[in-house]
Structures are given as structure tokens and as C-alpha cells.
Amino acid sequence: MDPFEVRMQFLALLRRLDASQQSIKKIVGYAVKYFPSCGEDLWDCLLDACHTGSLNHRINILYLLDSLCEACLVSRPPPGSSTQPSSSYVDYVSRDLRKIVDNVVPEGRQGLPNLMSTKQILENWRSKRIVEPQKVDEVIAVLDGRRAAAGSASTERAPSPDSSVGGLTRDDIKRRMEEDRERHKRLRERRWVQPVGQNLPAAMPPLASFLPLTDEGDGVGELALDIEFDNEWETTSDWNEDDDEAIAEENELCYPDAGEFDGEDEQAMDLS
């Protein structure tokens, strides 16, 4: 199949894109299949569709990119392989992240319907290290600023009762609610899955002490164990009075009669 025909068929698939997983998987499989020969052209098609489509279509493309990135990471050859590509759709997403978000969440009140879903996708990419966390933080900060600006503008000028939300009609809002249920269901299903950054030999024992050391800057080469530890470390609060009370309650449950013994009758705990 020549590149022109590949591009035309891909555009036809994008026009039929919706929130269903069947539609997304079909486009993901097509994009991965023709990436070696037409990857750059297909990526341009994605950017054009993300720029010219409706708000619903743009958020569908963002969820499509989420599935496409995961498919690229799963199908990536092991490190050191001669067939390893120099770039993938993950690299394109990281390169054009700001442009994608600007198209999916345009400035003003019209971009508010896509803002929360976009932040969920970005936080998912940050936690799984699909995109560098620093880049994601910068884009999220921009989205927070747009949300604050849109909120202040709405307080100054109250919208009329007949005006649509973000340029969406009543039918569009109903269809959007149904599609959001499908998208959020899929996102919750995959949120707990950590990426596998390295293909370890089968003979290597599955112990943390035998895993190679990785740094945060390793990107997709970072181990899932390190990513999970970093996520837990960032979400754990500092030591406070609540922790002291919890430990005191645990001690009372373990040793309820500890206060009844005096110094003479108290015996050392048997640790054998």
C-alpha cells in the first residue's frame, strides 16, 4: 500500500472515531502497523484532526493518543535490539505535548468541557513516566491558569440561560456524557497498571535486590518498581501527630495490660 493510500484510509478511520474501545483499538493497530513507513505522515493527520475537529472529537483523539502510547511501549523491542526504532509515537507526543493540549483545551470558556479529562490523562502520563514529569507539570500549570482565568471571566459576565456550554448543543452534551462514562471507565481500569520499562532475563530472580538501578531521567527505561515507589513517596504525608496517635492505639491493642504491671512484676517480651 502506497503512502497516499495509507494516509487516506487513516483519515477515514479518524473521521469515524468515537469513545468506544473498538474504534480506538482499530486506529491504534493501524497506526502501529504503518509507523515504520508512514509514521510522520500519520502523526500529521492526528495533529490536523486535533486542530480542526469538534471538542468531543478532540478529547477522543487525546484518549486515542493515550492508548497509542501504551501500545508503542508494549511493542517496543528490548534494549540493544537492532530493530529498535529511533523514535515512536511516544516521542511525538512528548515533542508536541503543548500543541496537543492547546488544541484539545482551547483558551476561554469553550475549552472547559475538556479540561478535567485532559488533566486526568496528563496525570496518568506523569505517574507512568510516559512523558517527562517536568513537561507534564508545566502543561498542567498552564491549564490551571486557563481555568482560573475562565472562572474570573464568568463571574464578571454571567452567561445567558439560552447560551450553550462551550459551544455544545443539548444533543452534544448528552452524547458527551455517555462518551465520558466510557472513557473514564477505561481510564480507571488502566490507572493501577504500572509500565514495564525493561525486559529482564527469564533466569533472573524476581527480587528487588536483583533489579538494576534506574534514575528518573531514564524515561521509559525506568523500572516499574521505581515508578511505583516514587508515586507512593510523593503521595505520603510527613510524620505528624496522627501517626503518633495511630502508634499509641496499636500499642494498646497489642499490649492492653501493659499498665497494670509494676516495675517488679513486669517481664521482658519473649522474642524467641
Side-chain angles (χ1 to χ4, degrees), residues 1-11 30 33-39 41-42 45:
M1 188 182 300
D2 61 278
F4 179 77
E5 187 176 358
V6 172
R7 181 185 181 95
M8 296 305 297
Q9 289 191 10
F10 190 68
L11 289 174
Y30 189 93
K33 177 181 179 181
Y34 290 100
F35 174 79
S37 58
C38 306
D41 291 337
L42 298 183
C45 294

Side-chain angles (χ1 to χ4, degrees), residues 16-167:
R16 296 191 295 269
L17 174 65
D18 54 31
S20 65
Q21 287 302 307
Q22 181 179 3
S23 174
I24 291 178
K25 289 181 179 179
K26 186 175 182 179
I27 298 178
V28 167
Y30 189 93
V32 173
K33 177 181 179 181
Y34 290 100
F35 174 79
S37 58
C38 306
E40 191 71 35
D41 291 337
L42 298 183
W43 178 252
D44 291 338
C45 294
L46 285 170
L47 292 181
D48 292 340
C50 190
H51 178 69
T52 59
S54 63
L55 285 178
N56 280 346
H57 193 63
R58 295 179 189 183
I59 196 64
N60 285 334
I61 290 179
L62 186 62
Y63 276 86
L64 167 65
L65 294 179
D66 182 41
S67 299
L68 184 59
C69 288
E70 291 200 357
C72 291
L73 294 178
V74 171
S75 61
R76 174 170 293 185
S81 175
S82 59
T83 59
Q84 186 173 6
S86 58
S87 62
S88 67
Y89 292 109
V90 178
D91 302 312
Y92 294 158
V93 169
S94 179
R95 182 192 66 188
D96 300 328
L97 181 62
R98 181 62 183 273
K99 183 187 300 183
I100 295 170
V101 174
D102 288 342
N103 290 328
V104 176
V105 187
E107 297 183 3
R109 296 186 69 253
Q110 61 175 344
L112 291 181
N114 288 349
L115 192 143
M116 292 305 300
S117 297
T118 302
K119 287 187 64 175
Q120 290 178 349
I121 291 292
L122 293 175
E123 291 170 356
N124 183 51
W125 289 350
R126 178 178 58 187
S127 64
K128 294 185 177 182
R129 304 299 194 272
I130 295 178
V131 182
E132 294 180 8
Q134 183 178 1
K135 287 185 177 181
V136 176
D137 291 338
E138 294 175 355
V139 176
I140 290 180
V142 173
L143 292 180
D144 292 337
R146 291 182 182 178
R147 182 177 185 179
S152 61
S154 61
T155 56
E156 296 176 359
R157 185 184 60 181
S160 60
D162 298 333
S163 62
S164 59
V165 179

Side-chain angles (χ1 to χ4, degrees), residues 160-210:
S160 60
D162 298 333
S163 62
S164 59
V165 179
L168 301 177
T169 63
R170 185 180 297 273
D171 294 336
D172 292 337
I173 293 175
K174 292 181 179 179
R175 182 170 62 254
R176 174 61 181 268
M177 292 173 63
E178 296 177 356
E179 293 182 348
D180 280 344
R181 293 192 189 100
E182 178 70 21
R183 287 189 289 257
H184 293 167
K185 177 183 176 181
R186 177 59 177 169
L187 188 61
R188 287 194 300 268
E189 290 175 353
R190 297 187 306 176
R191 184 171 297 170
W192 65 273
V193 180
Q194 297 292 344
V196 179
Q198 298 187 13
N199 296 326
L200 301 175
M204 181 174 292
L207 299 177
S209 58
F210 288 91

